Structures are given as structure tokens and as C-alpha cells.
Amino acid sequence: METKLRLLMTFEDSTQRRVSLSIDDPRPDLTEEEIKNVMDLIVEKDVFSPKGGSLEVVLEAKILETSTTSHDLVL
């Protein structure tokens, strides 16, 4: 079984749409404060402008853990 982690950061843009950015394999010791600081910096520096709108509001962040089990179907 393979387990992967992903940091999912969700913002609201200038057109009031939800926009998510994800980062694969975040540091295991990443703190909420570090995540919040980076998200605030992304908004402040206007780093991304998806579909022409600027990210304006930090909404939430989640660390997603997915497990994948492969099956060899050759019988």
C-alpha cells in the first residue's frame, strides 16, 4: 500500500470563486502557523491570478492523506 500526503490550500479570488492550490509531500512537521503565514504571503504578494482574478481571502487548509492499494489482476 502506498500512502501520499498533500497540502490543500483554499482561497477566495476577486470574483468570489473558490480556488485551491495543492502541494505534494508537505513536510511532516509543518505547523498551522507556517501554513497560515504562507497563505497570507501568497495573497499579499499576489503570486497567482487564476482565470484573471487575484486571490484575496484565505479560507482553509487541509493535509490530505491518500492510500493506494494496487492489485495484480493476473490470475
Side-chain angles (χ1 to χ4, degrees):
M1 178 167 34
E2 179 184 5
T3 301
K4 291 189 177 189
L5 294 178
R6 175 177 287 158
L7 170 61
L8 183 66
M9 300 176 289
T10 306
F11 302 85
E12 185 177 280
D13 72 5
S14 56
T15 62
Q16 283 126 9
R17 284 185 298 212
R18 290 174 69 97
V19 177
S20 293
L21 303 173
S22 66
I23 298 174
D24 291 337
D25 301 318
R27 264 189 10 240
D29 63 341
L30 196 59
T31 66
E32 288 182 33
E33 183 178 1
E34 289 174 312
I35 295 169
K36 174 76 168 110
N37 289 341
V38 166
M39 292 178 75
D40 288 340
L41 188 61
I42 289 170
V43 170
E44 176 188 328
K45 298 294 184 183
D46 200 18
V47 178
F48 300 102
S49 48
K51 298 185 181 180
S54 296
L55 301 180
E56 293 187 342
V57 179
V58 171
L59 294 178
E60 66 180 350
K62 300 176 187 177
I63 301 247
L64 305 174
E65 183 176 346
T66 57
S67 297
T68 303
T69 303
S70 297
H71 295 281
D72 182 9
L73 298 178
V74 177
L75 301 175

